[in-house]
């Protein structure tokens, strides 16, 4: 569709952070393709936006991803690889099926969507791709080994895409969210004790909001970030830098 608007596809746009990203992009004038494996959620989010189209589909399927871009109906200016899953468990207990599922959706899904996007962007006027990672891409944590490994791989893939696709006019960056009070972490933060400990451990003294991540997407998508390429933007209130501040130390002698 050529109505002068920029076109964005947001994967996993039917819930949590992806729904907030879809709304923020609509607010700055994008026509948004809200893609989700949950068709009802994709439709509900798209119906709440002024110019949007819902796309039911699985990011691990090349056919479904090609169909999503067909439904969008115009070359994408922006693609946000936000769809993701987590399977909790210590590595010595995690099933192979769970490990494979996480690799499939998070890492393979990111590649399938990004490649399909880049081919279309390269044939048009270029574009922007943003991949969602996690602070677990940088700092490991118990029980999220498979998830963290995929996020670290996406961070590397982002750098690889940036150097291969930069010459084609495509900027590729990543966003690493910290403790976000939404989506897959929302059940975890329903416990007031967990909220207090996690929120209190962040230097900015609060959990992150889905909108904090959406704002970072809007920035990286914009011309204000036109020379930012291959970067992983950590949006975590400073928490992964604060480990030394949280360890006991001797009081200053002077
Ligand atoms: N919530 C957090 O604290 C947090 C922290 C760091 C990173 N992240 C990342 O942010 C992104 C969004 O997470 P969220 O917290 O909003 O989770 P969420 O579970 O609320 O949303 C993920 C969405 O992806 C969709 N999805 C799952 N598999 C899919 C597939 N195969 N194809 C298409 N869609 C699929 C789901 O239906 C869901 O709507 C993820 O990549 C996640 O790893 C979240």
């Amino acid at each position: 569709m050529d109505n002068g608007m920029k076109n964005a596809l947001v994967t996993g746009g039917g819930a949590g952070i992806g729904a907030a990203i879809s709304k923020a992009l609509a607010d700055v004038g994008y026509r948004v393709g809200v893609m989700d494996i949950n068709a009802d959620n994709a439709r509900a989010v798209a119906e709440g936006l002024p110019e949007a189209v819902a796309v039911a589909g699985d990011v691990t399927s090349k056919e479904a991803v090609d169909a999503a871009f067909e439904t969008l109906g115009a070359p994408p200016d922006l693609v946000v690889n936000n769809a993701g899953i987590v399977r909790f468990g210590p590595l010595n207990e995690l099933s192979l099926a769970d490990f494979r599922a996480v690799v499939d959706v998070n890492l393979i899904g990111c590649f399938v969507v990004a490649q399909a996007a880049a081919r279309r962007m390269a044939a048009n006027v270029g574009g922007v791709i943003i991949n969602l990672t996690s602070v677990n891409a940088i700092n490991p944590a118990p029980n999220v080994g498979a998830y963290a490994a995929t996020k670290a791989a996406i961070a590397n893939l982002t750098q690889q895409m940036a150097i291969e696709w930069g010459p084609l006019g495509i900027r590729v960056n990543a966003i690493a969210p910290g403790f976000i009070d939404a989506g897959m972490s929302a059940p975890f933060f329903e416990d007031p004790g967990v909220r207090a400990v996690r929120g209190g451990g962040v230097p900015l003294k609060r959990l992150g909001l889905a909108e904090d991540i959406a704002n970072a997407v809007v920035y990286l998508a914009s011309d204000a970030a036109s020379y930012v390429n291959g970067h992983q933007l950590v949006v975590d209130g400073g928490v992964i830098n604060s480990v030394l501040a949280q360890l006991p130390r001797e009081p200053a002698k002077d």
Side-chain angles (χ1 to χ4, degrees), residues 10-21 35-39 41-42 55-61 65 81-86 101 104-106 109 113 131-136 147 150-151 154 175-189 208 210 213 235:
V10 180
T11 71
I17 293 171
I21 292 171
M35 181 181 185
D36 206 290
I37 201 165
N38 184 319
N41 285 355
V55 189
D58 181 342
V59 292
T60 68
S61 158
V65 169
N81 274 306
N82 165 82
I85 61 169
V86 62
D104 210 26
V105 175
N106 295 4
V113 174
N131 300 324
L132 271 284
T133 60
S134 164
V135 287
N136 291 138
Y147 175 81
T150 63
K151 294 300 187 175
I154 295 169
I175 295 173
F179 305 154
I180 306 302
D181 190 13
M184 60 175 62
S185 298
F188 186 59
F189 294 130
I213 306 307
V235 182

Short mmCIF file of all heavy atoms in Angstrom, two decimals, residues 10-21 35-39 41-42 55-61 65 81-86 101 104-106 109 113 131-136 147 150-151 154 175-189 208 210 213 235, ligand 1:
data_model
loop_
_atom_site.label_atom_id
_atom_site.label_comp_id
_atom_site.label_asym_id
_atom_site.label_seq_id
_atom_site.Cartn_x
_atom_site.Cartn_y
_atom_site.Cartn_z
N VAL A 10 6.07 -5.81 13.11
CA VAL A 10 6.50 -6.12 14.47
C VAL A 10 6.13 -7.55 14.76
O VAL A 10 4.94 -7.89 14.81
CB VAL A 10 5.84 -5.18 15.51
CG1 VAL A 10 6.30 -5.53 16.92
CG2 VAL A 10 6.15 -3.72 15.19
N THR A 11 7.12 -8.43 14.95
CA THR A 11 6.79 -9.82 15.27
C THR A 11 6.51 -9.95 16.77
O THR A 11 7.06 -9.20 17.58
CB THR A 11 7.92 -10.78 14.86
OG1 THR A 11 9.04 -10.61 15.73
CG2 THR A 11 8.34 -10.58 13.41
N GLY A 12 5.63 -10.87 17.10
CA GLY A 12 5.23 -10.99 18.50
C GLY A 12 4.52 -9.73 18.97
O GLY A 12 4.55 -9.38 20.16
N GLY A 13 3.86 -9.07 18.03
CA GLY A 13 3.23 -7.77 18.33
C GLY A 13 1.91 -7.88 19.08
O GLY A 13 1.33 -6.86 19.45
N GLY A 14 1.45 -9.10 19.32
CA GLY A 14 0.14 -9.27 19.92
C GLY A 14 0.10 -9.16 21.43
O GLY A 14 -0.99 -9.18 22.02
N ALA A 15 1.25 -9.03 22.07
CA ALA A 15 1.24 -9.01 23.54
C ALA A 15 2.47 -8.27 24.05
O ALA A 15 3.40 -7.97 23.29
CB ALA A 15 1.26 -10.45 24.09
N GLY A 16 2.43 -7.97 25.34
CA GLY A 16 3.60 -7.48 26.06
C GLY A 16 4.35 -6.35 25.40
O GLY A 16 3.76 -5.34 24.97
N ILE A 17 5.66 -6.52 25.29
CA ILE A 17 6.52 -5.48 24.74
C ILE A 17 6.18 -5.21 23.27
O ILE A 17 6.17 -4.07 22.81
CB ILE A 17 8.00 -5.89 24.91
CG1 ILE A 17 8.37 -5.92 26.41
CG2 ILE A 17 8.92 -4.96 24.14
CD1 ILE A 17 9.74 -6.52 26.70
N GLY A 18 5.86 -6.26 22.52
CA GLY A 18 5.55 -6.10 21.10
C GLY A 18 4.30 -5.25 20.88
O GLY A 18 4.23 -4.48 19.91
N ALA A 19 3.32 -5.39 21.76
CA ALA A 19 2.11 -4.56 21.64
C ALA A 19 2.46 -3.10 21.90
O ALA A 19 1.97 -2.19 21.21
CB ALA A 19 1.04 -5.05 22.62
N ALA A 20 3.32 -2.85 22.88
CA ALA A 20 3.75 -1.47 23.19
C ALA A 20 4.57 -0.89 22.03
O ALA A 20 4.43 0.29 21.69
CB ALA A 20 4.55 -1.44 24.48
N ILE A 21 5.42 -1.72 21.42
CA ILE A 21 6.20 -1.26 20.26
C ILE A 21 5.26 -0.90 19.11
O ILE A 21 5.40 0.14 18.47
CB ILE A 21 7.21 -2.35 19.83
CG1 ILE A 21 8.30 -2.53 20.90
CG2 ILE A 21 7.84 -2.00 18.48
CD1 ILE A 21 9.21 -3.74 20.66
N MET A 35 2.35 -8.89 13.68
CA MET A 35 2.44 -10.32 13.40
C MET A 35 2.56 -11.10 14.71
O MET A 35 3.38 -10.76 15.56
CB MET A 35 3.65 -10.63 12.52
CG MET A 35 3.79 -12.10 12.18
SD MET A 35 5.24 -12.43 11.17
CE MET A 35 5.01 -14.17 10.82
N ASP A 36 1.74 -12.13 14.83
CA ASP A 36 1.85 -12.96 16.03
C ASP A 36 1.32 -14.36 15.72
O ASP A 36 0.41 -14.51 14.90
CB ASP A 36 1.05 -12.35 17.21
CG ASP A 36 1.62 -12.77 18.56
OD1 ASP A 36 1.48 -13.96 18.93
OD2 ASP A 36 2.21 -11.91 19.24
N ILE A 37 1.86 -15.34 16.40
CA ILE A 37 1.36 -16.71 16.24
C ILE A 37 -0.04 -16.82 16.87
O ILE A 37 -0.81 -17.70 16.50
CB ILE A 37 2.35 -17.71 16.86
CG1 ILE A 37 2.14 -19.11 16.30
CG2 ILE A 37 2.31 -17.68 18.39
CD1 ILE A 37 3.29 -20.06 16.57
N ASN A 38 -0.34 -15.92 17.77
CA ASN A 38 -1.67 -15.84 18.38
C ASN A 38 -2.52 -14.85 17.56
O ASN A 38 -2.40 -13.63 17.71
CB ASN A 38 -1.55 -15.39 19.84
CG ASN A 38 -2.89 -15.39 20.55
OD1 ASN A 38 -3.90 -14.98 19.98
ND2 ASN A 38 -2.90 -15.85 21.79
N ALA A 39 -3.35 -15.40 16.67
CA ALA A 39 -4.11 -14.57 15.73
C ALA A 39 -5.05 -13.59 16.44
O ALA A 39 -5.18 -12.43 16.04
CB ALA A 39 -4.90 -15.46 14.77
N ASN A 41 -4.78 -12.23 19.40
CA ASN A 41 -4.04 -11.11 20.00
C ASN A 41 -3.54 -10.13 18.95
O ASN A 41 -3.58 -8.91 19.15
CB ASN A 41 -2.86 -11.64 20.82
CG ASN A 41 -3.30 -12.24 22.15
OD1 ASN A 41 -4.48 -12.18 22.50
ND2 ASN A 41 -2.36 -12.82 22.88
N ALA A 42 -3.06 -10.67 17.82
CA ALA A 42 -2.60 -9.78 16.74
C ALA A 42 -3.74 -8.89 16.28
O ALA A 42 -3.59 -7.67 16.10
CB ALA A 42 -2.06 -10.61 15.57
N VAL A 55 -1.47 -9.88 11.30
CA VAL A 55 -0.95 -11.01 10.53
C VAL A 55 -0.75 -12.18 11.48
O VAL A 55 0.05 -12.09 12.42
CB VAL A 55 0.42 -10.67 9.89
CG1 VAL A 55 0.80 -11.77 8.93
CG2 VAL A 55 0.39 -9.33 9.21
N ALA A 56 -1.48 -13.26 11.23
CA ALA A 56 -1.28 -14.47 12.04
C ALA A 56 -0.17 -15.27 11.40
O ALA A 56 -0.20 -15.55 10.20
CB ALA A 56 -2.56 -15.28 12.08
N GLY A 57 0.85 -15.63 12.17
CA GLY A 57 1.92 -16.42 11.56
C GLY A 57 3.04 -16.73 12.53
O GLY A 57 3.22 -16.05 13.54
N ASP A 58 3.77 -17.77 12.14
CA ASP A 58 4.87 -18.29 12.96
C ASP A 58 6.18 -17.82 12.35
O ASP A 58 6.45 -18.09 11.17
CB ASP A 58 4.78 -19.83 12.94
CG ASP A 58 5.84 -20.50 13.78
OD1 ASP A 58 6.85 -19.87 14.12
OD2 ASP A 58 5.65 -21.70 14.07
N VAL A 59 7.01 -17.14 13.14
CA VAL A 59 8.25 -16.58 12.60
C VAL A 59 9.24 -17.66 12.15
O VAL A 59 10.20 -17.35 11.43
CB VAL A 59 8.95 -15.64 13.61
CG1 VAL A 59 8.15 -14.37 13.84
CG2 VAL A 59 9.26 -16.34 14.93
N THR A 60 9.05 -18.90 12.57
CA THR A 60 10.00 -19.94 12.17
C THR A 60 9.69 -20.50 10.78
O THR A 60 10.46 -21.28 10.24
CB THR A 60 9.99 -21.11 13.18
OG1 THR A 60 8.74 -21.78 13.11
CG2 THR A 60 10.24 -20.63 14.59
N SER A 61 8.56 -20.08 10.22
CA SER A 61 8.14 -20.59 8.91
C SER A 61 8.42 -19.56 7.83
O SER A 61 7.85 -18.46 7.83
CB SER A 61 6.64 -20.91 8.94
OG SER A 61 6.11 -20.92 7.64
N VAL A 65 6.27 -16.16 6.93
CA VAL A 65 6.91 -14.84 6.96
C VAL A 65 6.75 -14.15 5.61
O VAL A 65 6.42 -12.95 5.54
CB VAL A 65 8.40 -14.98 7.38
CG1 VAL A 65 9.15 -13.68 7.14
CG2 VAL A 65 8.48 -15.41 8.84
N ASN A 81 12.20 -7.55 15.24
CA ASN A 81 12.19 -8.97 15.61
C ASN A 81 12.03 -9.07 17.12
O ASN A 81 13.02 -9.12 17.86
CB ASN A 81 13.51 -9.62 15.17
CG ASN A 81 13.46 -10.09 13.74
OD1 ASN A 81 12.56 -10.84 13.35
ND2 ASN A 81 14.41 -9.64 12.94
N ASN A 82 10.77 -9.11 17.53
CA ASN A 82 10.45 -9.08 18.96
C ASN A 82 9.92 -10.42 19.47
O ASN A 82 10.01 -10.70 20.66
CB ASN A 82 9.42 -7.96 19.19
CG ASN A 82 8.74 -8.06 20.53
OD1 ASN A 82 9.26 -7.63 21.55
ND2 ASN A 82 7.54 -8.67 20.56
N ALA A 83 9.39 -11.25 18.58
CA ALA A 83 8.81 -12.54 19.02
C ALA A 83 9.87 -13.35 19.76
O ALA A 83 11.02 -13.43 19.32
CB ALA A 83 8.28 -13.32 17.83
N GLY A 84 9.47 -13.93 20.85
CA GLY A 84 10.43 -14.73 21.61
C GLY A 84 9.72 -15.58 22.64
O GLY A 84 8.60 -15.29 23.04
N ILE A 85 10.39 -16.66 23.02
CA ILE A 85 9.86 -17.51 24.09
C ILE A 85 10.98 -17.83 25.07
O ILE A 85 12.16 -17.69 24.75
CB ILE A 85 9.25 -18.84 23.55
CG1 ILE A 85 10.30 -19.69 22.82
CG2 ILE A 85 8.07 -18.56 22.63
CD1 ILE A 85 9.83 -21.10 22.50
N VAL A 86 10.59 -18.27 26.26
CA VAL A 86 11.55 -18.71 27.25
C VAL A 86 11.09 -20.05 27.80
O VAL A 86 9.88 -20.30 27.89
CB VAL A 86 11.71 -17.65 28.38
CG1 VAL A 86 10.42 -17.41 29.13
CG2 VAL A 86 12.84 -18.02 29.34
N ALA A 101 13.17 -25.70 21.01
CA ALA A 101 12.06 -24.77 20.78
C ALA A 101 12.53 -23.33 20.94
O ALA A 101 12.15 -22.44 20.16
CB ALA A 101 10.92 -25.07 21.76
N ASP A 104 14.70 -22.36 18.05
CA ASP A 104 13.89 -22.25 16.84
C ASP A 104 13.17 -20.90 16.76
O ASP A 104 13.27 -20.19 15.76
CB ASP A 104 12.88 -23.41 16.83
CG ASP A 104 12.53 -23.83 15.42
OD1 ASP A 104 13.37 -23.63 14.51
OD2 ASP A 104 11.42 -24.36 15.22
N VAL A 105 12.46 -20.56 17.81
CA VAL A 105 11.67 -19.31 17.77
C VAL A 105 12.61 -18.09 17.85
O VAL A 105 12.53 -17.18 17.03
CB VAL A 105 10.63 -19.26 18.92
CG1 VAL A 105 9.92 -17.91 18.91
CG2 VAL A 105 9.64 -20.41 18.78
N ASN A 106 13.49 -18.08 18.84
CA ASN A 106 14.27 -16.87 19.09
C ASN A 106 15.34 -16.63 18.02
O ASN A 106 15.42 -15.53 17.46
CB ASN A 106 14.95 -16.94 20.46
CG ASN A 106 13.94 -16.97 21.61
OD1 ASN A 106 12.73 -17.01 21.38
ND2 ASN A 106 14.42 -16.96 22.83
N GLY A 109 13.94 -17.92 14.11
CA GLY A 109 12.86 -16.99 13.75
C GLY A 109 13.41 -15.61 13.41
O GLY A 109 12.99 -14.98 12.44
N VAL A 113 12.98 -13.96 9.57
CA VAL A 113 12.29 -12.68 9.36
C VAL A 113 13.27 -11.62 8.84
O VAL A 113 12.96 -10.88 7.89
CB VAL A 113 11.62 -12.21 10.67
CG1 VAL A 113 11.04 -10.80 10.50
CG2 VAL A 113 10.54 -13.19 11.10
N ASN A 131 16.50 -6.03 16.49
CA ASN A 131 16.35 -7.36 17.09
C ASN A 131 16.31 -7.25 18.61
O ASN A 131 17.19 -6.62 19.21
CB ASN A 131 17.52 -8.25 16.68
CG ASN A 131 17.61 -8.43 15.17
OD1 ASN A 131 16.59 -8.50 14.48
ND2 ASN A 131 18.83 -8.50 14.65
N LEU A 132 15.32 -7.88 19.23
CA LEU A 132 15.23 -7.87 20.70
C LEU A 132 16.13 -8.96 21.28
O LEU A 132 15.97 -10.14 20.94
CB LEU A 132 13.78 -8.10 21.14
CG LEU A 132 12.88 -6.87 21.30
CD1 LEU A 132 13.19 -6.11 22.58
CD2 LEU A 132 12.96 -5.92 20.11
N THR A 133 17.05 -8.55 22.13
CA THR A 133 17.87 -9.53 22.85
C THR A 133 17.41 -9.51 24.30
O THR A 133 16.23 -9.58 24.59
CB THR A 133 19.37 -9.24 22.68
OG1 THR A 133 19.67 -7.94 23.19
CG2 THR A 133 19.79 -9.34 21.24
N SER A 134 18.33 -9.40 25.24
CA SER A 134 18.01 -9.39 26.67
C SER A 134 19.31 -9.09 27.41
O SER A 134 20.40 -9.36 26.89
CB SER A 134 17.50 -10.76 27.11
OG SER A 134 17.53 -10.89 28.52
N VAL A 135 19.19 -8.59 28.64
CA VAL A 135 20.41 -8.48 29.44
C VAL A 135 21.04 -9.85 29.66
O VAL A 135 22.25 -9.96 29.91
CB VAL A 135 20.15 -7.80 30.81
CG1 VAL A 135 19.92 -6.30 30.63
CG2 VAL A 135 19.02 -8.45 31.57
N ASN A 136 20.25 -10.91 29.50
CA ASN A 136 20.82 -12.27 29.60
C ASN A 136 21.75 -12.61 28.43
O ASN A 136 22.48 -13.60 28.49
CB ASN A 136 19.72 -13.32 29.70
CG ASN A 136 18.97 -13.26 31.01
OD1 ASN A 136 17.75 -13.37 31.03
ND2 ASN A 136 19.68 -13.06 32.11
N TYR A 147 17.57 -19.75 26.77
CA TYR A 147 17.12 -18.41 26.37
C TYR A 147 18.31 -17.47 26.22
O TYR A 147 18.47 -16.78 25.21
CB TYR A 147 16.15 -17.91 27.43
CG TYR A 147 15.65 -16.51 27.29
CD1 TYR A 147 14.60 -16.21 26.42
CD2 TYR A 147 16.20 -15.47 28.04
CE1 TYR A 147 14.11 -14.92 26.31
CE2 TYR A 147 15.73 -14.18 27.94
CZ TYR A 147 14.68 -13.90 27.07
OH TYR A 147 14.21 -12.62 26.96
N THR A 150 20.44 -18.08 23.16
CA THR A 150 19.86 -17.57 21.90
C THR A 150 19.99 -16.06 21.82
O THR A 150 20.21 -15.51 20.74
CB THR A 150 18.36 -17.94 21.74
OG1 THR A 150 17.58 -17.33 22.77
CG2 THR A 150 18.16 -19.45 21.76
N LYS A 151 19.85 -15.38 22.96
CA LYS A 151 19.92 -13.92 22.93
C LYS A 151 21.34 -13.45 22.64
O LYS A 151 21.54 -12.45 21.93
CB LYS A 151 19.39 -13.35 24.25
CG LYS A 151 17.90 -13.60 24.47
CD LYS A 151 17.06 -12.98 23.37
CE LYS A 151 15.57 -13.07 23.62
NZ LYS A 151 14.78 -12.37 22.62
N ILE A 154 21.76 -13.85 18.99
CA ILE A 154 21.08 -12.79 18.24
C ILE A 154 21.92 -11.50 18.26
O ILE A 154 21.99 -10.77 17.28
CB ILE A 154 19.66 -12.53 18.80
CG1 ILE A 154 18.77 -13.75 18.58
CG2 ILE A 154 19.03 -11.30 18.13
CD1 ILE A 154 17.44 -13.70 19.33
N ILE A 175 18.24 -4.36 20.84
CA ILE A 175 17.87 -3.76 22.14
C ILE A 175 17.87 -4.88 23.17
O ILE A 175 17.23 -5.93 22.95
CB ILE A 175 16.49 -3.09 22.07
CG1 ILE A 175 16.53 -1.90 21.12
CG2 ILE A 175 16.04 -2.64 23.48
CD1 ILE A 175 15.17 -1.27 20.85
N ALA A 176 18.57 -4.66 24.27
CA ALA A 176 18.64 -5.64 25.36
C ALA A 176 17.84 -5.13 26.55
O ALA A 176 18.35 -4.32 27.34
CB ALA A 176 20.10 -5.87 25.77
N PRO A 177 16.58 -5.57 26.68
CA PRO A 177 15.79 -5.11 27.83
C PRO A 177 16.28 -5.77 29.13
O PRO A 177 16.78 -6.89 29.13
CB PRO A 177 14.37 -5.59 27.52
CG PRO A 177 14.37 -5.97 26.06
CD PRO A 177 15.78 -6.39 25.77
N GLY A 178 16.08 -5.01 30.23
CA GLY A 178 16.37 -5.57 31.55
C GLY A 178 15.13 -6.17 32.17
O GLY A 178 14.43 -6.96 31.53
N PHE A 179 14.84 -5.81 33.43
CA PHE A 179 13.68 -6.36 34.15
C PHE A 179 12.44 -5.55 33.74
O PHE A 179 12.23 -4.45 34.24
CB PHE A 179 13.85 -6.24 35.66
CG PHE A 179 15.11 -6.86 36.21
CD1 PHE A 179 15.66 -6.39 37.39
CD2 PHE A 179 15.72 -7.94 35.59
CE1 PHE A 179 16.81 -6.97 37.93
CE2 PHE A 179 16.87 -8.52 36.11
CZ PHE A 179 17.41 -8.03 37.28
N ILE A 180 11.64 -6.10 32.84
CA ILE A 180 10.50 -5.35 32.30
C ILE A 180 9.21 -5.91 32.91
O ILE A 180 8.96 -7.12 32.87
CB ILE A 180 10.46 -5.45 30.76
CG1 ILE A 180 11.81 -5.01 30.16
CG2 ILE A 180 9.32 -4.61 30.21
CD1 ILE A 180 12.27 -3.61 30.50
N ASP A 181 8.41 -4.99 33.42
CA ASP A 181 7.16 -5.36 34.09
C ASP A 181 6.06 -5.57 33.05
O ASP A 181 5.07 -4.83 33.01
CB ASP A 181 6.79 -4.24 35.07
CG ASP A 181 5.65 -4.65 36.00
OD1 ASP A 181 5.32 -5.85 36.05
OD2 ASP A 181 5.10 -3.75 36.66
N ALA A 182 6.26 -6.54 32.19
CA ALA A 182 5.30 -6.81 31.10
C ALA A 182 5.64 -8.15 30.48
O ALA A 182 6.71 -8.72 30.73
CB ALA A 182 5.40 -5.71 30.03
N GLY A 183 4.73 -8.64 29.67
CA GLY A 183 4.99 -9.82 28.85
C GLY A 183 5.40 -11.03 29.65
O GLY A 183 4.81 -11.35 30.69
N MET A 184 6.44 -11.69 29.19
CA MET A 184 6.84 -12.97 29.78
C MET A 184 7.31 -12.83 31.22
O MET A 184 7.34 -13.82 31.95
CB MET A 184 7.92 -13.64 28.92
CG MET A 184 9.18 -12.84 28.76
SD MET A 184 10.51 -13.71 27.86
CE MET A 184 9.82 -14.00 26.25
N SER A 185 7.68 -11.61 31.65
CA SER A 185 8.13 -11.41 33.03
C SER A 185 7.00 -11.00 33.97
O SER A 185 7.18 -10.99 35.19
CB SER A 185 9.22 -10.32 33.09
OG SER A 185 10.33 -10.72 32.37
N ALA A 186 5.85 -10.65 33.41
CA ALA A 186 4.76 -10.12 34.24
C ALA A 186 4.34 -11.10 35.35
O ALA A 186 4.17 -10.67 36.51
CB ALA A 186 3.57 -9.74 33.38
N PRO A 187 4.21 -12.41 35.07
CA PRO A 187 3.80 -13.32 36.14
C PRO A 187 4.81 -13.35 37.30
O PRO A 187 4.44 -13.43 38.47
CB PRO A 187 3.74 -14.69 35.46
CG PRO A 187 3.65 -14.40 34.00
CD PRO A 187 4.33 -13.09 33.77
N PHE A 188 6.07 -13.25 36.94
CA PHE A 188 7.16 -13.25 37.90
C PHE A 188 7.04 -12.05 38.86
O PHE A 188 7.23 -12.15 40.07
CB PHE A 188 8.44 -13.16 37.06
CG PHE A 188 9.74 -13.29 37.76
CD1 PHE A 188 10.06 -14.41 38.49
CD2 PHE A 188 10.70 -12.29 37.62
CE1 PHE A 188 11.29 -14.53 39.10
CE2 PHE A 188 11.93 -12.40 38.22
CZ PHE A 188 12.23 -13.52 38.96
N PHE A 189 6.67 -10.89 38.31
CA PHE A 189 6.61 -9.67 39.11
C PHE A 189 5.27 -9.48 39.82
O PHE A 189 5.05 -8.46 40.47
CB PHE A 189 6.95 -8.44 38.24
CG PHE A 189 8.37 -8.44 37.75
CD1 PHE A 189 8.68 -8.24 36.42
CD2 PHE A 189 9.43 -8.66 38.64
CE1 PHE A 189 9.99 -8.25 35.97
CE2 PHE A 189 10.75 -8.68 38.20
CZ PHE A 189 11.02 -8.47 36.86
N GLY A 208 11.43 -1.86 34.63
CA GLY A 208 11.20 -1.19 33.36
C GLY A 208 9.78 -1.39 32.87
O GLY A 208 9.09 -2.33 33.28
N ALA A 210 7.16 -1.66 29.39
CA ALA A 210 7.20 -2.00 27.96
C ALA A 210 7.46 -0.75 27.12
O ALA A 210 8.15 -0.79 26.11
CB ALA A 210 5.89 -2.67 27.56
N ILE A 213 11.05 0.20 26.38
CA ILE A 213 11.64 -0.52 25.25
C ILE A 213 11.09 0.04 23.93
O ILE A 213 11.84 0.25 22.96
CB ILE A 213 11.34 -2.04 25.35
CG1 ILE A 213 11.79 -2.57 26.73
CG2 ILE A 213 12.01 -2.80 24.21
CD1 ILE A 213 13.22 -2.27 27.11
N VAL A 235 18.75 -1.44 27.75
CA VAL A 235 17.72 -0.59 28.36
C VAL A 235 17.29 -1.29 29.64
O VAL A 235 16.34 -2.08 29.66
CB VAL A 235 16.54 -0.37 27.39
CG1 VAL A 235 15.49 0.56 28.01
CG2 VAL A 235 17.03 0.20 26.06
N1 LIG B 1 9.57 -9.08 29.50
C1 LIG B 1 10.86 -8.98 29.79
O1 LIG B 1 11.24 -8.76 30.95
C2 LIG B 1 11.91 -9.14 28.72
C3 LIG B 1 13.25 -8.95 29.09
C4 LIG B 1 14.24 -9.09 28.14
C5 LIG B 1 13.91 -9.39 26.83
N2 LIG B 1 12.60 -9.58 26.48
C6 LIG B 1 12.32 -9.90 25.08
O2 LIG B 1 11.31 -9.07 24.58
C7 LIG B 1 10.58 -9.76 23.58
C8 LIG B 1 9.08 -9.69 23.90
O3 LIG B 1 8.87 -10.40 25.09
P1 LIG B 1 7.58 -10.19 26.02
O4 LIG B 1 8.07 -10.09 27.40
O5 LIG B 1 6.71 -9.12 25.47
O6 LIG B 1 6.93 -11.64 25.88
P2 LIG B 1 5.46 -12.11 25.51
O7 LIG B 1 5.44 -13.58 25.74
O8 LIG B 1 4.43 -11.28 26.18
O9 LIG B 1 5.37 -11.78 23.95
C9 LIG B 1 5.97 -12.56 22.98
C10 LIG B 1 5.03 -12.63 21.81
O10 LIG B 1 5.64 -13.42 20.79
C11 LIG B 1 4.64 -14.28 20.24
N3 LIG B 1 5.29 -15.45 19.67
C12 LIG B 1 5.84 -16.49 20.34
N4 LIG B 1 6.30 -17.41 19.46
C13 LIG B 1 6.03 -16.93 18.22
C14 LIG B 1 6.25 -17.41 16.91
N5 LIG B 1 6.84 -18.61 16.71
N6 LIG B 1 5.86 -16.67 15.87
C15 LIG B 1 5.23 -15.49 16.07
N7 LIG B 1 4.99 -14.96 17.28
C16 LIG B 1 5.38 -15.68 18.34
C17 LIG B 1 3.75 -14.62 21.41
O11 LIG B 1 2.49 -15.12 21.01
C18 LIG B 1 3.68 -13.30 22.16
O12 LIG B 1 2.61 -12.50 21.71
C19 LIG B 1 11.12 -11.18 23.54
O13 LIG B 1 12.06 -11.30 22.49
C20 LIG B 1 11.80 -11.32 24.88
O14 LIG B 1 12.83 -12.26 24.87
C21 LIG B 1 11.60 -9.47 27.40
#
